[in-house]
């Protein structure tokens, strides 16, 4: 038998209904549609409203839809990994809560925190389990309620982020599909530019931390921009070179959606025309761990079996990386469930 690879065999996403537009933001802080579109490229973002709702609720919706779409019973899932920076609570893991809500009873689950690179790190971790042959159905979900850590009186932060969730099903294949290669990096010294100051063990919540607004995301935008624009483009170019991929071989770049200027720079560095770059930042803003599955979900119908995708992200930590994968199914033939027959996807 050939090498086992992990292939994405289904994708689903979920976003809240409420749309926070640039027009509405301009009534809350001193900003404008023109500034936000020119500097970042966001038109609106979704916000999860409602008492008692958190990242697990969005993650659950994405997972529920994924199970329905792929005809998978919750009991069939062996492992669920959740990427998030806005867990429901510090512990237990949001992955456990999603599994409970979705009726996933025969799996173990855990969270990964790699900020905006979280979905990629979680996807590769999940793939490693699938490649052992012991885990046949693994879910990776990225979910973030960024509105819970965004200061809506700070014009330098509040236009940037939105809420949402996306999930994929991974299954083993002996075919030349699935996750082919990855390159990941971290540099913890970058934490000074992008972090959440309080609520952890160093500065537990207190009246003082609340008064100082230390439970909101802190970002030095320009500094992060400089690192992001170079590193995301470099790592995407590096994975192409390492796998002898030319720009014409690549069907799609799937970039983390933090800033349209960073996305454009990455596409240019890879020699790709804009038509080959998945972009939906205008509709959702930066949903942190959900941007990449949200993008693939929206573009799913345009994908073909065998398409080469390069996924790339940069985020807090710093963390950054890239995944090279070959798309494993023809979405036009959905609904499908390759593994229902009990055979490996070929
Ligand atoms: O996903 C995780 C990783 N994060 C990222 O990749 C984000 C990276 N950073 C960025 O995308 C950009 O740095 C931002 C979008 C955050 C900011 O864009 P920028 O072009 O770097 O703007 P800036 O911070 O240099 O600010 C330029 C000017 C400033 O005014 P002065 O000092 O030149 O008078 C800001 O006060 O724009 C002002 N400004 C705004 N004006 C209108 C900042 N925010 C706003 C705003 N509306 N919302």
């Amino acid at each position: 038998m050939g090498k086992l690879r992990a292939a994405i065999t289904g994708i689903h996403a979920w976003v809240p209904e409420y749309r926070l537009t640039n027009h509405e933001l301009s009534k809350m802080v001193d900003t404008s549609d023109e500034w936000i579109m020119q500097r970042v490229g966001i038109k609106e973002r979704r916000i999860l409203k409602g008492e008692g709702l958190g990242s697990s609720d969005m993650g659950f919706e994405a997972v529920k839809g994924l199970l329905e779409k792929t005809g998978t019973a919750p009991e069939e899932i062996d492992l669920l990994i959740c990427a998030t920076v806005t867990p429901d609570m510090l512990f237990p893991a949001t992955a456990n809560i999603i599994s409970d809500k979705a009726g996933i009873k025969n799996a173990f689950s855990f969270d990964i925190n790699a900020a905006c690179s979280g979905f990629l790190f979680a996807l590769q971790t999940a793939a490693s389990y699938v490649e052992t042959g012991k885990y046949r159905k693994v879910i990776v979900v990225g979910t973030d309620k960024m509105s819970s850590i965004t200061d809506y009186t700070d014009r330098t932060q509040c236009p940037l982020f939105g809420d949402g969730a996306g999930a994929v099903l991974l299954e083993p294949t002996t075919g030349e599909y699935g996750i082919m290669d990855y390159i990941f990096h971290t540099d913890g010294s970058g934490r000074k530019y992008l972090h959440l100051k309080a609520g952890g063990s160093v500065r537990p919540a207190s009246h003082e931390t609340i008064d100082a607004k230390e439970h909101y995301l802190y970002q030095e935008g320009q500094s992060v921009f400089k690192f992001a624009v170079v590193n995301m483009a470099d790592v995407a170019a590096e994975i192409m070179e390492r796998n002898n991929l030319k720009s014409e071989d690549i069907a799609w770049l799937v970039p983390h959606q933090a800033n349209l200027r960073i996305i454009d720079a990455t596409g240019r560095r890879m020699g790709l025309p804009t038509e080959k770059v998945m972009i939906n930042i205008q509709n959702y803003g930066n949903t942190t761990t959900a941007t990449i599955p949200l993008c693939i979900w929206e573009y799913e119908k345009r994908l073909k079996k065998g398409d080469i995708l390069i996924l790339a992200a940069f985020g807090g930590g710093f963390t950054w990386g890239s995944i090279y994968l070959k798309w494993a199914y023809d979405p036009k033939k959905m609904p499908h469930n390759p593994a229902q027959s009990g055979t490996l996807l070929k």
Side-chain angles (χ1 to χ4, degrees):
M1 196 171 79
K3 180 180 163 26
L4 269 190
R5 294 186 196 282
I8 294 176
T9 55
I11 184 154
H12 195 67
W14 191 87
V15 288
E17 256 173 55
Y18 189 82
R19 294 161 194 255
L20 178 58
T21 62
N22 288 350
H23 177 68
E24 194 180 343
L25 271 178
S26 68
K27 290 191 261 174
M28 296 157 60
V29 290
D30 181 15
T31 190
S32 64
D33 178 57
E34 193 190 6
W35 191 94
I36 301 170
M37 283 304 286
Q38 264 179 15
R39 308 304 297 168
V40 209
I42 303 170
K43 204 73 190 156
E44 60 183 32
R45 60 296 283 147
R46 302 299 182 95
I47 305 294
L48 183 65
K49 301 261 187 185
E51 207 46 44
L53 296 177
S55 292
S56 76
D57 297 287
M58 296 188 294
F60 159 65
E61 292 291 347
V63 167
K64 188 176 74 166
L66 177 70
L67 292 172
E68 283 167 12
K69 187 173 168 182
T70 56
T72 308
E75 301 77 26
E76 291 179 80
I77 301 300
D78 300 313
L79 164 64
L80 182 143
I81 304 178
C82 175
T84 186
V85 294
T86 51
D88 279 17
M89 43 187 93
L90 272 179
F91 75 91
T94 300
N96 303 353
I97 304 171
I98 294 172
S99 292
D100 179 49
K101 288 179 177 169
I104 295 173
K105 294 186 189 310
N106 300 323
F108 72 107
S109 58
F110 57 88
D111 285 0
I112 282 184
N113 179 344
C116 297
S117 309
F119 186 79
L120 295 193
F121 284 28
L123 189 61
Q124 179 52 42
T125 304
S128 305
Y129 280 96
V130 172
E131 286 162 11
T132 65
K134 282 193 199 163
Y135 302 87
R136 297 181 62 89
K137 287 179 190 277
V138 177
I139 288 179
V140 181
V141 49
T143 181
D144 269 304
K145 185 183 169 186
M146 295 305 292
S147 61
S148 66
I149 55 168
T150 300
D151 180 357
Y152 288 95
T153 64
D154 179 354
R155 71 171 182 171
T156 68
Q157 309 298 339
C158 66
L160 306 177
F161 301 100
D163 302 337
V168 297
L169 180 64
L170 279 186
E171 295 181 77
T173 174
T174 49
E176 275 293 296
Y177 298 102
I179 292 171
M180 311 298 284
D181 195 14
Y182 67 96
I183 302 174
F184 293 153
H185 298 283
T186 60
D187 175 2
S189 69
R191 67 190 182 280
K192 60 179 170 287
Y193 302 114
L194 178 50
H195 57 257
L196 203 144
K197 292 186 193 302
S201 56
V202 172
R203 279 182 73 72
S206 65
H207 286 295
E208 196 190 329
T209 60
I210 290 171
D211 291 344
K213 298 188 169 189
E214 288 179 359
H215 296 273
Y216 294 129
L217 176 147
Y218 172 86
Q219 174 169 240
E220 293 176 29
Q222 263 192 26
S223 304
V224 177
F225 186 93
K226 282 178 200 151
F227 284 99
V229 79
V230 172
N231 287 311
M232 202 163 112
D234 277 359
V235 77
E238 192 186 342
I239 208 161
M240 283 174 70
E241 278 156 32
R242 185 154 102 175
N243 291 281
N244 297 315
L245 294 170
K246 305 271 167 285
S247 49
E248 52 274 20
D249 300 326
I250 292 163
W252 295 100
L253 163 65
V254 192
H256 170 54
Q257 314 275 311
N259 188 314
L260 192 55
R261 289 181 287 146
I262 299 173
I263 295 170
D264 285 346
T266 305
R268 273 199 307 275
R269 178 76 199 279
M270 294 168 71
L272 296 179
T274 324
E275 308 83 73
K276 286 189 170 189
V277 183
M278 292 190 187
I279 300 172
N280 63 6
I281 187 172
Q282 68 281 4
N283 298 327
Y284 305 113
N286 183 352
T287 53
T288 301
T289 60
T291 59
I292 287 176
L294 255 177
C295 251
I296 302 177
W297 171 66
E298 283 210 330
Y299 281 77
E300 186 192 12
K301 289 279 182 295
R302 294 164 68 178
L303 293 172
K304 294 190 299 295
K305 188 172 179 178
D307 273 357
I308 289 178
L309 273 61
I310 302 290
L311 283 42
F314 182 93
F318 291 137
T319 57
W320 67 103
S322 186
I323 286 180
Y324 153 37
L325 66 83
K326 280 194 189 162
W327 194 250
Y329 63 91
D330 190 351
K332 294 204 179 89
K333 293 190 186 139
M334 289 288 274
H336 76 291
N337 183 14
Q340 223 170 25
S341 60
T343 56
L344 288 175
L345 180 70
K346 290 267 164 40

